[in-house]
Amino acid sequence: MTAETLPRVVATDLDGTLLRSDGSVSPRTRSALRAAEDAGIEVVLVTARPPRWLGFLSDVVGGHGRVVCLGGAAVWDLATEQALEVCGFADDDAQALVADLREAVPGVALALERADGPTFDRGFRTPGDDAVDVDPVDRSTVVSRVESTLDGRSTAPVGKLLARAADAGPVSGGPATRPAALADAQIPAQEQFFARVRAVVGDRAQLAYSGAAGLAELLAPTVSKDAALARWCARLGVDARDVWAFGDMPNDLPMLRWAGRSFAVANAHPDVVAAVSDRTVSNDDDGVALVLEGALAG
């Protein structure tokens, strides 16, 4: 493969795609990413994760250290720990969504993710525990109800609104782990929960699913992984045809469809496998690294 056929940008999802099932980045993957950057390819990590779950990646993405995070709501610079770009809900819009979800989905627990930090309902936790269980956060981020923080005082828009079903199990996941996979027996309840949330929000938000059982992720109508990636590539002067994208879950589909070449890892959701131009081996077998190694060796 000649230099002319190499991508100018490689965009890869994290959980279930670049990261192994234990949340780690393998030595092989680290080496492949460094080799890609040495060849002049910019590697952009694209994830639904919030900025506070990205610090462990600071030595993975070479000199630039930029991540499209919060499902496309922000571009985060790992070196400076600052947002380079932020999109999302204005407080008034988020307030209206929260009020409607409270009324239509009894017992729903909510959380807000901004680039400068999260806010959690006290109910967004393991039952019987006083601490939010998604990761060890400052307890000052836990409030009685998140709407109490939607007062216009924050300069950062709400990048993501999370809704957790009342009968869902504990929210799992964190900086170095993938959210618990959805068991087959949970699928009907998940679909019913999603249908209720979708009916409430209508076209005021996009509903995303990244793999965690009983959890709906709401993004502003203009926010998506592909939109954020397209804006970033435009800054670089890179066209979609010169981008290779990797993913595993339905929330990766817009990015995969936008990119000139798209790859599903072997463990990907069936909808993803059906939509991509190419396939590779699983995340635990370093599927992204395998593709990059082959391209660079060609």
Side-chain angles (χ1 to χ4, degrees):
M1 186 172 291
T2 65
E4 287 75 21
T5 62
L6 290 174
R8 294 183 62 190
V9 169
V10 165
T12 176
D13 173 57
L14 288 178
D15 295 289
T17 303
L18 187 76
L19 305 184
R20 290 189 167 181
S21 295
D22 63 1
S24 67
V25 183
S26 73
R28 180 183 180 184
T29 292
R30 288 174 184 271
S31 177
L33 295 178
R34 283 195 299 269
E37 292 205 334
D38 289 345
I41 302 168
E42 175 149 346
V43 177
V44 179
L45 306 181
V46 186
T47 180
R49 288 179 177 233
R52 68 181 188 282
W53 286 5
L54 300 176
F56 78 105
L57 296 168
S58 59
D59 63 340
V60 173
V61 285
H64 63 81
R66 286 157 190 163
V67 185
V68 174
C69 61
L70 285 173
V75 177
W76 187 256
D77 189 296
L78 287 167
T80 63
E81 297 186 340
Q82 296 291 324
L84 303 177
E85 177 182 300
V86 182
C87 303
F89 299 104
D91 277 15
D92 287 349
D93 294 332
Q95 181 79 263
L97 286 169
V98 166
D100 291 345
L101 285 167
R102 296 276 191 215
E103 180 178 357
V105 189
V108 68
L110 302 173
L112 307 177
E113 287 280 7
R114 303 181 193 262
D116 57 4
T119 306
F120 300 95
D121 274 359
R122 188 165 288 116
F124 204 93
R125 59 179 173 81
T126 304
D129 189 0
D130 289 334
V132 174
D133 69 338
V134 288
D135 73 341
V137 296
D138 187 324
R139 292 195 182 197
S140 66
T141 64
V142 182
V143 296
S144 177
R145 289 194 164 197
V146 294
E147 47 266 53
S148 66
T149 67
L150 295 171
D151 52 13
R153 287 184 291 180
S154 175
T155 58
V158 175
K160 185 185 292 187
L161 170 60
L162 304 174
R164 178 179 173 226
D167 56 353
V171 177
S172 61
T177 60
R178 177 171 173 76
L182 190 67
D184 289 345
Q186 296 172 294
I187 292 176
Q190 177 81 4
E191 291 179 346
Q192 184 180 31
F193 174 59
F194 262 47
R196 295 179 72 183
V197 172
R198 188 178 290 109
V200 173
V201 303
D203 60 2
R204 294 179 294 166
Q206 298 186 71
L207 183 58
Y209 170 57
S210 60
L215 188 67
E217 305 181 20
L218 304 179
L219 301 170
T222 58
V223 170
S224 64
K225 289 184 176 182
D226 64 311
L229 180 61
R231 285 193 300 270
W232 190 254
C233 286
R235 290 189 183 188
L236 302 175
V238 175
D239 293 329
R241 65 175 179 269
D242 296 317
V243 179
W244 289 7
F246 296 79
D248 75 310
M249 290 299 292
N251 65 340
D252 297 320
L253 284 171
M255 173 181 73
L256 294 168
R257 289 171 175 149
W258 175 81
R261 193 171 177 188
S262 55
F263 296 82
V265 287
N267 52 288
H269 189 282
D271 291 350
V272 174
V273 174
V276 296
S277 61
D278 297 88
R279 302 178 190 180
T280 184
V281 297
S282 74
N283 61 324
D284 287 329
D285 291 324
D286 299 312
V288 175
L290 179 68
V291 172
L292 295 180
E293 290 165 353
L296 293 168

